[in-house]
Amino acid sequence: GSPSIPEAPRRLPTQEMDLVRVMITGGDKLIQVGEETTTVANYLLSNLEEEVIQEFNSPLLRAVMEMASAQLRSDAPLTPQFFLQSDREDIRDLAIGFLSPDYQYSDNWEERYQIVLHTQRMPDDNFARDAQLALQRFQLHRLDQMCSVNAQRIKEAYDTGDEPLYLHYLKFQQELQALRNSIADQDLNTVILK
């Protein structure tokens, strides 16, 4: 057989990491969404289906989101302390990293991780907007991935001459792009800090 090429080490997915960062550092913070007051954790998890969490590329980040979801279902508070006291060392280490006083946004983060604060406020004062933007970036990234996979399906259907399948995937691509555009165009002033 041919020699196998080792897979390049993958860093933790940026959009998933950003959601988890917001969950750990501010999951218990109250925010106003429309007419409703809710926690950052409830806001994030109500906008992510369990199947989406199951598709997280990082088992560590998936575990954090699953723990957060289970904690909320049990009506227990989801504080940073919850993650700091986890039975799992890797989750404790992740929480310590996010909650450390040394954890700051550097100028390099925007380029390296695509994590950007869009106001001058520090993260402690920015949970509502931060949560909404993290969720929006995650959704856009996921839709971009779905568009890419579907574009390959369109090409394969076209190459094989399967016109009904080709038209089906083409229509689906238009729907994905419309959804992506609607998320990208959302009014970012609908979530405010309570």
Side-chain angles (χ1 to χ4, degrees):
S2 61
S4 64
I5 299 170
E7 191 175 329
R10 292 196 331 202
R11 66 172 201 216
L12 294 175
T14 303
Q15 292 78 14
E16 293 173 12
M17 179 69 90
D18 207 18
L19 283 174
V20 167
R21 174 188 57 78
V22 171
M23 184 69 73
I24 290 174
T25 61
D28 60 335
K29 303 297 185 209
L30 291 177
I31 59 174
Q32 187 76 29
V33 181
E35 300 294 315
E36 181 183 340
T37 298
T38 188
T39 63
V40 167
N42 277 323
Y43 170 73
L44 291 176
L45 291 171
S46 70
N47 282 283
L48 293 173
E49 297 177 18
E50 287 294 324
E51 301 82 48
V52 173
I53 293 171
Q54 293 304 314
E55 293 177 12
F56 269 37
N57 291 320
S58 163
L60 171 62
L61 301 180
R62 183 181 328 116
V64 170
M65 296 300 280
E66 288 169 347
M67 286 175 57
S69 182
Q71 182 77 346
L72 288 179
R73 281 194 307 271
S74 71
D75 289 328
L78 187 66
T79 63
Q81 202 63 28
F82 170 75
F83 297 103
L84 291 170
Q85 294 173 345
S86 171
D87 293 338
R88 289 184 50 173
E89 182 179 4
D90 55 349
I91 291 175
R92 288 192 310 269
D93 289 346
L94 187 64
I96 289 167
F98 284 139
L99 295 164
S100 162
D102 297 331
Y103 179 73
Q104 298 174 356
Y105 285 85
S106 76
D107 295 334
N108 186 34
W109 276 39
E110 179 174 355
E111 179 182 318
R112 188 167 176 200
Y113 299 112
Q114 293 91 44
I115 296 176
V116 184
L117 277 182
H118 292 272
T119 70
Q120 296 302 311
R121 290 182 275 172
M122 292 303 291
D124 286 351
D125 300 325
N126 205 22
F127 287 111
R129 186 166 174 84
D130 204 17
Q132 186 177 24
L133 291 174
L135 180 63
Q136 190 176 23
R137 283 189 298 268
F138 176 80
Q139 291 170 330
L140 289 173
H141 178 72
R142 184 163 156 71
L143 283 167
D144 285 342
Q145 289 176 320
M146 292 171 71
C147 283
S148 179
V149 167
N150 195 59
Q152 184 59 39
R153 291 178 181 151
I154 291 170
K155 181 183 180 323
E156 290 167 6
Y158 180 81
D159 290 348
T160 60
D162 189 338
E163 187 174 350
L165 194 58
Y166 169 76
L167 293 174
H168 169 76
Y169 287 138
L170 199 57
K171 184 176 185 330
F172 185 57
Q173 189 76 356
Q174 291 170 334
E175 292 169 1
L176 286 173
Q177 289 171 336
L179 180 58
R180 187 200 183 288
N181 291 344
S182 74
I183 290 172
D185 292 339
Q186 282 178 3
D187 176 16
L188 297 181
N189 296 319
T190 55
V191 177
I192 57 171
L193 188 63
K194 178 82 173 175

